[in-house]
Amino acid sequence: MTASRRDKDMNSICIAIRAGPTESQPEPAAMSTPAPILTASTDWHWSPTPYPGVDFTWLRRNPDGGGSALLKLAKGAKLPLHRHPGAEQVFVTAGRLKIGAHVLGKGDHLFIDAHVPHSVEALQSAVYLTVSENDGVELLPPDQAG
């Protein structure tokens, strides 16, 4: 299969956001034993994404794909229209975000089912926890918004 420009862009996002350990972003522990695993805030390693003003840090990777991460967005920063192969949950810990048609503030939770197109915009500087069932993201043209 030949990669289109969109596929190449999607792959760069997968590499940037879903990559294994790097010098600046070590692989978080997988839950291989029933014992709790602590990721202290002093262990966070913020890494840039391909999008200006958007950084992330993994908290935990699931052995079968997906996991939990924090995303930090500067005011006005955006993630383009995309969808995931599995469900995604978003919990805002600081600031205000617009995700699709929803405006979320600190303490708000949003469940996004698999394959539902959405974009993210920081209305204020924001941090949110994302929990994904599966690895992967597909960038979409703006006209595919739900």
Side-chain angles (χ1 to χ4, degrees), residues 7-46:
D7 292 331
K8 289 177 186 174
D9 289 343
M10 181 183 69
N11 290 337
S12 68
I13 292 171
C14 291
I15 292 168
I17 296 176
R18 306 277 185 204
T22 66
E23 203 170 299
S24 64
Q25 183 74 21
E27 183 73 27
M31 195 70 84
S32 58
T33 66
I37 297 171
L38 171 66
T39 304
S41 60
T42 55
D43 296 331
W44 297 351
H45 300 280
W46 291 99

Side-chain angles (χ1 to χ4, degrees), residues 92-97 104-106 124-127:
V92 180
T93 64
R96 286 175 47 91
L97 296 169
L104 291 82
K106 181 179 177 180
Q124 300 173 339
S125 294
V127 176

Side-chain angles (χ1 to χ4, degrees), residues 71-146:
L71 278 90
K72 180 169 50 174
L73 288 82
K75 182 179 179 178
K78 296 178 182 181
L79 293 172
L81 188 65
H82 64 280
R83 63 183 170 200
H84 303 277
E88 177 185 21
Q89 295 186 62
V90 171
F91 181 80
V92 180
T93 64
R96 286 175 47 91
L97 296 169
K98 182 175 182 187
I99 301 180
H102 304 280
V103 175
L104 291 82
K106 181 179 177 180
D108 289 343
H109 173 265
L110 180 65
F111 177 85
I112 305 166
D113 211 348
H115 308 291
V116 172
H118 59 284
S119 58
V120 180
E121 179 182 359
L123 302 176
Q124 300 173 339
S125 294
V127 176
Y128 70 91
L129 169 69
T130 180
V131 180
S132 59
E133 287 182 332
N134 304 93
D135 283 339
V137 62
E138 177 186 5
L139 293 179
L140 301 169
D143 63 350
Q144 286 193 18

